């Protein structure tokens, strides 16, 4: 049954965005302004008003979590009428779906494997080895970063124009060519390929492009400010026929340029799409007015922005606190004291967050919290599907699913140990290359030709025979995918390997595998599960327990907490010196957007702090308050005693960001302020 009240719960701007009929629409959605509500209501309205069938709507998000939330919200409005939203998902999941339908146009089979970061690194290492590239001088991660940058720009290897002054690019381009050939030979692609291949298919096959462009009567995109060139290009091609593209986002929260995001996609939307309607969502449902005023005053210093003014639906609330501390250790003590004496009386630990610019900043807080027994969690650790034991399980399943998956073969052929050493694997690689076979086929052939040492022969034979049996069981549907993994773990000796060594780590690994088996229940078959694993994103994770949350400001985007601490607002640290050195004014503006994101995570309390001295890389350094502190609206701030003492000082050297020359025995303004205080 359709919930007919969904429009009544919207403010005027939200309602206007929902019922907007045809043509390009840019929704400038400030932090906490209800953009998800608008997106889902718009989808529901399109279906309810019969402007399009569910399968004629393309709705794109960046994370699986956001896609799931969107699906659930639409279903809560439309009920059974929401069935058929088959094109609602992440950029990568939708492109994977499209690519499987048209794999041959990219020289792939439809059962291609999506390789993860670890597999990519191993592949690059193998290529570097064969091409005599010293990975100590040119790291695989750096090589992959450059390749990914080219893919985000829409370049296949033969389309790259190398910067002649860049010696690294000249070296990496030939590796990119080999890497791409290897992926095709392995019937694989990486994440960058998912979108790149689809865009190239669309560009070279107008019939395919037109089919989808006509079908998608309405296109909706979440977090548009985070799109890169190739994502924007893909959307542009798909919206060619109907022009009904609606993009939602906040240019003031564009903080991922280091991942390839291009803010100009957002800022120039109305140039790309003629007759664009722009609607601003300026009512904030998250934060108190004082928090919003501080954040708005700060971000107004950026020049490259669409512009908006956020108004809170809540009360004025507490003033934003600004604290100055003697050093980093005192800052950690000050934060813990605030939590102990004031915060925990009113708020649960789960609703308290400490947001830092760089992850090393957590050390002093961790030491302090451990000392006083305050529970905490670091968010952004190893993801579930990146844990070694989970990757091992998935590798077994991948190889069963597709014998061409050499990367999976490499990972598990000697895991658990089967006396198959590096030399044997090297020989198999060589034979496979010479015979143009995958590693599994090459191993079988080498055994037939008696090219494997007797000791190794036993373990390799056992592995290959088991693999054959498991694959047969899978094809014959003797077991479902869950039972298949259980069988593999038992018959391979993997479970025994973990059980036989009784220590905490192995116990945790066994618990993780149990959790994996539980997770697999949510999928109908092996293929859909493997696809899910491949597409799992870094920010999709489950949290539990009453603990204070610590994370980077980047990791905090999209989250909210009652209380937010923002320590370390010092020049060089925040804004980060590297960002300014590499990107100049653009870098500074992105750092300011990051500060804006940090402040607007807070619903009721925001506490900003800086230290006058900090222990960094083995040395004490004299700090200077961040220039961003100058940009906070003074009337919305409450300052600690360090500032109060300075008010009585005629010298006025508490002004931030003073110009001064560093001479011998001269210290920073922060150091001077502290000296005056202790005298």
């Amino acid at each position: 049954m359709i919930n007919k009240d969904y429009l009544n719960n919207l403010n005027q701007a939200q309602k206007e965005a929902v019922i907007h009929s045809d043509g390009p629409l840019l929704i400038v959605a400030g932090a906490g302004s209800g953009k998800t509500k608008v997106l889902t209501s718009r989808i529901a309205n399109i279906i309810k008003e019969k402007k399009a069938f569910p399968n004629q709507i393309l709705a794109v998000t960046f994370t699986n979590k956001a896609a799931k939330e969107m699906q659930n919200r639409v279903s809560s409005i439309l009920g059974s009428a929401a069935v058929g939203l088959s094109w609602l998902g992440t950029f990568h999941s939708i492109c994977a779906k499209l690519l499987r339908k048209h794999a041959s146009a990219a020289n792939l089979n439809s059962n291609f494997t999506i390789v993860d970061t670890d597999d990519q690194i191993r592949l690059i290492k193998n290529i570097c080895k064969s091409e005599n590239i010293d990975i100590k001088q040119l790291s695989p991660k750096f090589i992959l970063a450059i390749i990914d940058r080219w893919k985000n720009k829409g370049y296949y290897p033969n389309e790259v124009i190398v910067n002649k002054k860049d010696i690294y690019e000249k070296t990496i381009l030939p590796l990119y060519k080999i890497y791409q050939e290897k992926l095709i030979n392995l019937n694989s692609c990486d994440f960058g390929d998912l979108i790149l291949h689809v865009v190239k298919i669309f560009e070279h096959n107008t019939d395919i492009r037109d089919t989808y462009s006509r079908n998608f009567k309405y296109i909706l995109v979440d977090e548009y400010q985070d799109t890169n060139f190739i994502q924007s290009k893909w959307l542009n091609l798909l919206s060619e026929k109907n022009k009904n593209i609606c993009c939602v986002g906040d240019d003031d929260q564009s903080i991922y340029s280091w991942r390839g995001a291009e803010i100009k996609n957002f800022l120039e939307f109305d140039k790309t799409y003629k007759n664009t309607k722009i609607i601003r969502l300026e009512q904030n449902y998250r934060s108190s007015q004082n928090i919003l005023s501080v954040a708005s005053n700060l971000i107004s210093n950026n020049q490259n922005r669409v512009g908006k003014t956020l108004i809170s639906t809540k009360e004025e609330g507490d003033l934003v606190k600004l604290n100055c501390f003697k050093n980093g250790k005192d800052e950690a003590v000050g934060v813990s004291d605030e939590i102990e004496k004031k915060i925990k009386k009113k708020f649960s630990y789960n609703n308290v967050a400490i947001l830092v610019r760089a992850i090393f900043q957590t050390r002093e807080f961790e030491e302090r919290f451990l000392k006083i027994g305050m529970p905490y969690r670091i968010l952004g650790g190893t993801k579930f599907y990146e844990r070694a034991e989970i990757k091992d399980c998935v590798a077994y399943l991948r190889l069963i699913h597709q014998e061409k998956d050499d990367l999976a073969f490499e990972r598990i052929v000697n895991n658990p140990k089967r006396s198959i050493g590096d030399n044997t694997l090297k020989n198999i690689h060589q034979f496979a290359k010479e015979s143009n076979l995958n590693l599994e086929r090459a191993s079988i052939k080498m055994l037939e030709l008696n090219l494997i040492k007797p000791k190794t022969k036993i373990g390799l034979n056992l592995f290959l025979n088991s693999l054959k049996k498991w694959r047969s069981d899978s094809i014959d549907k003797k077991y479902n995918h869950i039972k298949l993994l259980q069988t593999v773990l038992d018959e391979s000796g993997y479970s025994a390997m973990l059980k036989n060594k009784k220590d905490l780590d192995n116990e945790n690994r066994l618990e993780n595998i149990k959790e994996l088996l539980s997770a697999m229940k949510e999928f109908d078959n092996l293929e859909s599960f493997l696809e899910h694993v491949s597409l799992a994103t870094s920010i999709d994770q489950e949290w539990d327990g009453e603990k204070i949350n610590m994370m980077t400001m980047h990791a905090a985007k999209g989250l909210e907490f009652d209380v937010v601490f923002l320590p370390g607002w010092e020049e060089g640290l925040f804004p980060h010196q590297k960002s300014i050195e590499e990107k100049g004014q653009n870098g500074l503006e992105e750092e300011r957007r990051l500060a804006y994101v940090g402040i607007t995570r807070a619903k009721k309390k925001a506490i900003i702090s800086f230290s006058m001295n900090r222990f960094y890389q083995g040395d004490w350094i004299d700090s200077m308050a961040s220039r961003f502190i100058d940009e906070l609206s003074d009337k919305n701030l409450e300052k600690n005693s360090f500032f109060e003492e300075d008010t009585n000082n005629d010298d006025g050297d508490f002004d931030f960001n003073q110009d001064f020359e560093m001479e011998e025995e001269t210290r920073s303004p922060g150091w001077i302020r502290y000296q005056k205080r202790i005298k």
Side-chain angles (χ1 to χ4, degrees):
M1 180 180 264
I2 296 176
N3 179 1
K4 296 178 181 178
D5 294 332
Y6 68 96
L7 290 177
N8 298 334
N9 299 322
L10 303 172
N11 63 42
Q12 191 55 42
Q14 289 175 332
K15 191 173 181 178
E16 188 184 353
V18 167
I19 64 175
H20 175 80
S21 182
D22 296 323
L25 174 64
L26 181 67
I27 303 173
V28 184
S33 62
K35 67 177 178 67
T36 306
K37 187 178 186 178
V38 168
L39 266 179
T40 51
S41 299
R42 182 167 168 79
I43 293 171
N45 194 64
I46 290 167
I47 296 170
K48 180 182 171 293
E49 296 298 321
K50 299 185 175 166
K51 294 177 182 178
F53 293 111
N55 67 355
Q56 293 175 317
I57 298 170
L58 172 65
V60 193
T61 69
F62 274 88
T63 69
N64 294 323
K65 183 181 176 184
K68 192 173 181 180
E69 184 183 358
M70 198 179 291
Q71 178 72 63
N72 290 340
R73 289 202 190 189
V74 175
S75 296
S76 70
I77 298 172
L78 294 179
S80 59
V83 173
L85 278 170
S86 52
W87 297 101
L88 191 161
T90 65
F91 279 96
H92 290 115
S93 67
I94 291 169
C95 281
K97 187 175 177 179
L98 289 168
L99 190 55
R100 292 203 187 277
K101 287 178 180 287
H102 307 283
S104 60
N107 296 316
L108 293 166
N109 298 324
S110 61
N111 68 336
F112 61 81
T113 300
I114 304 167
V115 299
D116 62 13
T117 304
D118 280 358
D119 288 336
Q120 287 179 277
I121 289 171
R122 280 194 289 138
L123 190 54
I124 288 292
K125 280 181 177 176
N126 290 338
I127 293 168
C128 288
K129 194 174 181 180
S130 64
E131 297 298 310
N132 295 316
I133 302 290
D134 187 356
I135 60 173
K136 291 179 182 177
Q137 297 293 320
L138 197 60
S139 77
K141 283 187 178 179
F142 180 76
I143 294 168
L144 285 168
I146 300 297
I147 290 173
D148 194 54
R149 189 178 75 193
W150 283 331
K151 290 186 177 184
N152 287 342
K153 293 286 185 183
Y155 301 140
Y156 276 150
N158 62 329
E159 297 169 317
V160 173
I161 300 172
V162 171
N163 181 353
K164 292 178 181 178
K165 295 179 181 178
D166 194 323
I167 58 168
Y168 295 116
E169 285 195 3
K170 287 165 69 177
T171 307
I172 293 169
L173 182 55
L175 303 180
Y176 180 20
K177 289 177 180 175
I178 299 168
Y179 172 75
Q180 216 54 21
E181 288 168 4
K182 290 273 188 187
L183 285 176
I184 296 295
N185 290 335
L186 291 167
N187 193 35
S188 299
C189 62
D190 61 23
F191 273 70
D193 285 331
L194 290 174
I195 303 178
L196 180 60
H197 284 329
V198 172
V199 166
K200 296 299 183 185
I201 290 169
F202 284 174
E203 286 181 335
H204 299 143
N205 301 271
T206 54
D207 55 331
I208 297 174
R209 179 174 82 231
D210 288 351
T211 297
Y212 290 102
S213 186
R214 285 196 187 92
N215 179 70
F216 295 135
K217 290 188 176 181
Y218 288 89
I219 297 173
L220 300 95
V221 188
D222 192 16
E223 304 285 7
Y224 187 67
Q225 78 281 346
D226 293 334
T227 55
N228 57 34
F229 172 84
I230 199 70
Q231 289 164 338
S232 177
K233 179 73 175 175
W234 178 70
L235 291 166
N236 193 253
L237 291 168
L238 284 173
S239 60
E240 227 173 34
K241 297 297 179 187
N242 294 307
K243 308 290 184 187
N244 293 326
I245 181 168
C246 166
C247 292
V248 183
D250 185 2
D251 51 318
D252 290 335
Q253 296 188 68
S254 179
I255 59 174
Y256 295 128
S257 68
W258 50 278
R259 280 195 331 209
E262 296 191 9
I263 192 172
K264 72 175 185 180
N265 291 342
F266 194 96
L267 299 176
E268 297 177 4
F269 184 89
D270 56 344
K271 293 178 183 175
T272 305
Y273 299 95
K274 303 299 180 188
N275 303 315
T276 290
K277 173 82 171 174
I278 298 177
I279 297 174
R280 288 171 171 82
L281 305 183
E282 296 178 310
Q283 277 189 260
N284 177 283
Y285 297 89
R286 176 189 297 156
S287 307
S288 66
Q289 189 57 55
N290 276 318
I291 291 169
L292 290 185
S293 296
V294 167
S296 295
N297 205 74
L298 174 71
I299 200 64
S300 67
N301 289 276
N302 273 5
Q303 295 176 0
N304 295 308
R305 58 192 296 259
V306 176
K308 61 186 172 302
T309 303
L310 292 183
I311 306 296
S312 178
T313 58
K314 302 182 181 297
E315 69 282 354
E316 265 200 359
D318 295 341
L319 295 170
V320 172
K321 275 194 166 184
L322 177 60
N323 294 331
C324 173
F325 294 100
K326 179 180 70 175
N327 54 46
K329 189 174 181 180
D330 277 10
E331 186 176 44
V333 171
V335 169
S336 66
D337 283 355
E338 180 100 6
I339 295 170
E340 280 276 88
K341 294 173 184 176
K342 298 177 183 178
I343 302 300
K344 79 173 187 179
K345 294 176 183 176
K346 296 181 181 178
F347 306 99
S348 74
Y349 283 156
N350 278 347
N351 281 314
V352 179
I354 299 171
L355 309 184
V356 296
R357 173 61 181 85
I359 198 65
F360 79 84
Q361 291 174 260
T362 65
R363 183 185 64 84
E364 282 173 314
F365 294 99
E366 288 187 69
E367 288 183 4
R368 174 64 183 169
F369 289 176
L370 286 168
K371 187 176 180 180
I372 64 174
M374 189 174 284
Y376 70 92
R377 61 168 70 88
I378 304 286
L379 297 180
T382 307
K383 293 188 299 178
F384 181 77
Y385 288 110
E386 289 180 352
R387 295 169 189 171
E389 63 276 10
I390 303 302
K391 288 180 76 69
D392 291 342
C393 291
V394 172
Y396 270 105
L397 295 174
R398 276 172 44 184
L399 190 56
I400 291 167
H401 183 59
Q402 192 202 152
E403 71 169 36
K404 283 187 175 183
D405 197 334
D406 285 357
L407 298 169
F409 182 97
E410 279 184 340
R411 184 176 186 94
I412 60 168
V413 67
N414 199 40
N415 188 12
K417 300 291 184 187
R418 300 186 178 94
S419 301
I420 304 166
D422 289 341
N423 283 336
T424 302
L425 198 54
K426 185 180 175 183
N427 292 336
I428 294 171
H429 263 288
Q430 188 63 35
F431 188 87
K433 188 178 179 181
E434 291 170 357
S435 308
N436 197 25
L437 297 169
N438 60 57
L439 295 184
E440 185 182 338
R441 290 282 174 186
S443 302
I444 295 168
K445 194 70 178 173
M446 288 177 76
L447 284 167
E448 290 173 357
L449 298 172
N450 207 25
L451 298 175
I452 302 291
K453 292 178 181 177
K455 187 182 177 183
T456 306
K457 202 172 187 177
I458 298 168
L460 187 57
N461 247 322
L462 183 63
F463 172 70
L464 291 170
N465 287 334
S466 297
L467 199 56
K468 186 178 177 183
K469 174 189 173 293
W470 299 327
R471 194 172 286 137
S472 175
D473 290 344
S474 178
I475 293 168
D476 296 339
K477 300 193 186 303
K478 183 178 178 180
Y479 305 129
N480 65 19
H481 52 299
I482 302 162
K483 182 65 178 174
L484 177 66
L485 179 57
Q486 290 173 321
T487 304
V488 168
L489 291 169
D490 289 337
E491 294 180 358
S492 68
Y494 196 94
S495 295
M497 175 185 73
L498 296 180
K499 289 174 183 174
N500 291 340
K501 192 177 179 183
K502 296 291 182 184
D503 62 35
L504 185 60
D505 284 344
N506 276 355
E507 286 175 16
N508 288 337
R509 289 184 186 111
L510 285 166
E511 287 299 318
N512 285 335
I513 290 172
K514 288 176 185 175
E515 185 60 28
L516 177 67
L517 290 164
S518 298
M520 290 173 72
K521 292 177 183 176
E522 297 179 16
F523 301 89
D524 295 328
N525 51 52
L526 179 59
E527 187 171 356
S528 61
F529 168 70
L530 290 175
E531 183 111 324
H532 169 76
V533 173
S534 299
L535 297 170
T537 60
S538 60
I539 58 176
D540 291 344
Q541 53 181 317
E542 300 293 327
W543 309 345
D544 57 9
E546 277 289 314
K547 296 174 184 177
I548 293 161
N549 304 286
M550 275 194 271
M551 72 197 86
T552 64
M553 281 181 264
H554 281 103
K557 188 169 175 291
L559 305 177
E560 58 182 44
F561 304 91
D562 286 336
V563 183
V564 171
F565 290 89
L566 298 152
W569 281 41
E570 298 137 30
E571 282 295 307
L573 181 54
F574 193 44
H576 203 282
Q577 191 64 30
K578 187 181 176 186
S579 187
I580 296 173
E581 285 175 356
E582 291 181 354
K583 300 174 189 172
Q585 185 65 25
N586 289 337
L588 176 60
E589 292 207 354
E590 180 154 339
E591 290 287 296
R592 192 176 282 114
R593 291 195 292 270
L594 190 56
Y596 175 85
V597 167
I599 296 169
T600 55
R601 299 311 92 196
K603 294 196 285 186
K604 296 177 181 178
K605 285 181 176 290
I607 302 100
I608 299 167
S609 60
F610 66 95
S611 304
M612 298 181 296
N613 303 275
R614 189 168 293 280
F615 197 69
Y616 181 60
Q617 294 187 352
D619 291 307
W620 283 101
I621 59 169
D622 300 323
S623 315
M624 191 173 183
S626 168
R627 70 189 76 188
F628 294 157
I629 289 175
D630 279 335
E631 299 169 359
L632 305 177
S633 49
D634 205 60
K635 66 179 182 180
N636 304 106
L637 294 178
E638 174 192 346
K639 301 176 182 178
N640 71 348
S641 58
F642 275 84
F643 299 92
E644 290 168 14
E645 289 217 3
D646 181 59
T647 344
N648 302 320
N649 247 335
D650 295 331
D651 297 343
D653 64 353
F654 252 54
D655 290 341
F656 298 117
N657 299 322
Q658 303 172 63
D659 293 326
F660 66 99
E661 292 184 11
M662 290 294 287
E663 298 174 359
E664 194 175 355
E665 303 300 323
T666 302
R667 301 291 182 178
S668 74
W671 189 88
I672 295 167
R673 294 197 290 270
Y674 176 56
Q675 291 301 309
K676 287 184 176 180
R677 175 169 167 75
I678 62 175
K679 281 179 182 176

